[in-house]
Amino acid sequence: MKISSVRAYLLSYPFDAPIHLRFHGGERTILKRDAMFIRVETDNGLVGYAPGPGSERARQIVDTAIAPFLINRTLADPDALRVQFMQGPGTDADVAKTYCSVEIALYDIAGKAQGLPVSEFIGGRVRDRIRLYASAGMYLPPEACAAEAAAIANLGFTAYKLRTALGAERDLDTVRQLRVTLGPDFDLMVDAHTWWRLGESNYSLDTIEQLAGEMSAYDIAWLEEPLPPEDHSGYLRLKEKDLVPLAAGEHEPGEESFLDLIRTQAVDYVQMDVCLQGGYAMGRRLFSEVARSGLRFAFHSSGTALEVVAAAHLGVCWPQMVVEWLEYPCYSSPDRAGMYPFPLAAEILNEPLEVDRGQLTVP
C-alpha cells in the first residue's frame, strides 16, 4: 500500500474570556488552547491518526517537508521510512521531531493493515491498563485546590498533579490541605516548573530545598521540575539529599540530554511527551535506558485525548515497574472539575476513553 495523503489540521478553542492565572510575582493570561490533528491515508483506504504540536510552524513542516517525502511511498515498515527521512529532511531537529509525531499515524495504519492495535505493532503489550495521574491545579489558592482535587477524586482518579507557585508558605499550605482532604493513600504530584520562571521572584535554592523537605511530611509522589531543566547536576545534588522523589524531562531538547538525565540518575522519574519530543522510536530507546538505570518513567501529556491514548499504546508495552504513570489532563465543563474548558480535547475521539479507578484501559 502507498501513502496517498498527509494532512495536518490546526485546531483552536478560544476561551469566552481570557483566563488569568495569578502566581507569586506575576500573572499568566491564556486566551485559547491549540492542538494538531494529523491524518494520513493510503491508496487502499486505510487511515491513520496522530496528535502533533499545535503550531503554525509544525503545520508548515508537515506541508512542505513531510508530506512531499511520504506521498507515493510504500508503507510497509514505518521504521525504514523514518531512517530514510532522517538521512534527508530529518537532519533538521525541528523537522525530525514533527516527523516523529506524523509517524504515529503511520504505525496506526500499519497496525490496521495487520488487524492489530498499535501497541501490538510497536512491541507487544504486556498489560491492558496504565495508571493515570489527573492533571489540573492551575495556581489555585489552597482551599480551592483542595476542593478541585476532591471533585476529581470523586470521578474515580487516585492521583492528582497541581501547579503551584504562590509563594513558599502558601505552596506548602496547599499540599497540606490536599493531604488532609484526600487522605493518606491518594498520590500527589507537585509541578514546580514555575519556580524558576519568575525572574526576580524565582525561588532560591535554599527555599526549594526547604520546601522539598517540608513537603516530604505529606508523602508526595514527586516534585516536578523545581530547577531549570538543563541543570542536571543541580537535580542530582538535590536528589542526593533524599528529601522527596524528583521528576523532570518534559523540557529536554533531545535524546542526548535525556540520556544524560537518565545515566546520571539525576531524577527518580523521567518524563517525556512522547508525541511531541521524539515519538515511539525514541520512547522505546529511552525506556530501555530507564529500566537499566533502575528509574521509573511517567508520561507527560498536556493536550488532547488522542495524545493520551497514543502514549498509552506505547506505555502498555512495558511493565508498570518501568512505565508507571500517564498524565491525564482534566479540563473543566459545566458538570466537571478541571483546569479550564477545552472540549475539543475529548471531541477529537469518536468514543470516550475508558477510565476506571484511576486507570486507563487501552483499546
Side-chain angles (χ1 to χ4, degrees):
M1 60 183 172
K2 291 191 174 182
I3 298 169
S4 58
S5 173
V6 179
R7 299 291 301 274
Y9 300 92
L10 278 180
L11 312 176
S12 187
Y13 178 78
F15 299 126
D16 292 337
I19 295 175
H20 301 287
L21 303 173
R22 295 176 177 85
F23 46 80
H24 180 62
E27 178 179 288
R28 177 185 175 193
T29 300
I30 307 178
L31 303 177
K32 62 187 178 75
R33 276 300 309 266
D34 298 323
M36 179 182 283
F37 178 71
I38 298 167
R39 185 182 188 275
V40 178
E41 186 171 0
T42 58
D43 58 2
N44 63 349
L46 291 178
V47 179
Y49 304 101
S55 70
E56 183 60 41
R57 167 64 175 156
R59 184 171 68 174
Q60 291 174 351
I61 289 173
V62 174
D63 291 345
T64 62
I66 298 173
F69 173 84
L70 287 175
I71 290 174
N72 292 323
R73 288 185 183 263
T74 298
L75 176 53
D77 181 356
D79 292 338
L81 284 178
R82 181 188 346 102
V83 170
Q84 296 175 55
F85 184 84
M86 295 306 172
Q87 293 173 345
T91 54
D92 180 282
D94 288 340
V95 173
K97 281 185 180 179
T98 305
Y99 181 88
C100 289
S101 296
V102 176
E103 185 182 48
I104 292 171
L106 303 185
Y107 282 114
D108 189 19
I109 292 174
K112 289 172 179 174
Q114 296 189 27
L116 298 172
V118 171
S119 55
E120 295 297 338
F121 194 76
I122 59 175
R125 64 175 65 188
V126 298
R127 51 187 167 133
D128 295 317
R129 294 159 66 84
I130 187 168
R131 298 177 72 187
L132 302 173
Y133 59 103
S135 182
M138 300 292 288
Y139 313 112
L140 295 173
E143 298 81 3
C145 192
E148 179 189 83
I152 287 174
N154 287 335
L155 298 173
F157 290 96
T158 61
Y160 174 80
K161 183 171 89 169
L162 68 147
R163 285 84 172 163
T164 184
L166 303 178
E169 290 185 8
R170 296 185 76 198
D171 289 351
L172 182 62
D173 189 37
T174 301
V175 173
R176 182 190 64 80
Q177 291 201 36
L178 284 169
R179 181 54 71 207
V180 169
T181 299
L182 298 170
D185 299 325
F186 200 95
D187 285 296
L188 292 176
M189 293 79 170
V190 179
D191 187 341
H193 74 267
T194 305
W195 292 3
W196 46 268
R197 289 178 159 180
L198 299 171
E200 294 181 355
S201 299
N202 277 354
Y203 290 17
S204 69
L205 183 57
D206 287 342
T207 297
I208 291 170
E209 290 182 4
Q210 180 178 342
L211 263 178
E214 291 173 336
M215 286 182 179
S216 68
Y218 301 105
D219 194 26
I220 63 173
W222 69 62
L223 181 62
E224 181 175 326
E225 287 200 320
L227 301 170
E230 69 277 5
D231 188 9
H232 292 180
S233 59
Y235 275 95
L236 181 58
R237 287 192 295 271
L238 183 59
K239 181 185 174 188
E240 288 173 341
K241 294 181 182 295
D242 196 25
L243 302 172
V244 291
L246 300 178
E250 67 170 282
H251 290 101
E252 296 301 328
E255 189 165 354
E256 287 304 313
S257 61
F258 266 114
L259 290 175
D260 182 72
L261 183 73
I262 295 166
R263 290 171 179 170
T264 59
Q265 299 198 8
V267 294
D268 302 278
Y269 285 92
V270 178
Q271 294 175 293
M272 175 189 178
D273 192 323
V274 73
C275 299
L276 303 179
Q277 286 182 281
Y280 286 156
M282 191 169 97
R284 285 183 289 179
R285 293 193 297 270
L286 293 182
F287 291 173
S288 295
E289 292 292 333
V290 167
R292 276 193 285 269
S293 298
L295 305 177
R296 298 289 183 95
F297 182 87
F299 284 103
H300 178 269
S301 177
S302 59
T304 67
L306 181 57
E307 182 178 329
V308 172
V309 74
H313 271 274
L314 179 60
V316 295
C317 296
W318 288 79
Q320 183 173 304
M321 64 180 297
V322 178
V323 180
E324 185 173 358
W325 293 100
L326 169 59
E327 185 170 11
Y328 188 95
C330 286
Y331 302 110
S332 62
S333 67
D335 60 351
R336 187 182 178 106
M339 56 185 116
Y340 45 68
F342 188 28
L344 69 81
E347 293 167 358
I348 201 168
L349 298 182
N350 287 330
E351 299 179 3
L353 297 176
E354 184 181 340
V355 178
D356 179 50
R357 288 175 291 180
Q359 297 193 61
L360 173 67
T361 299
V362 182

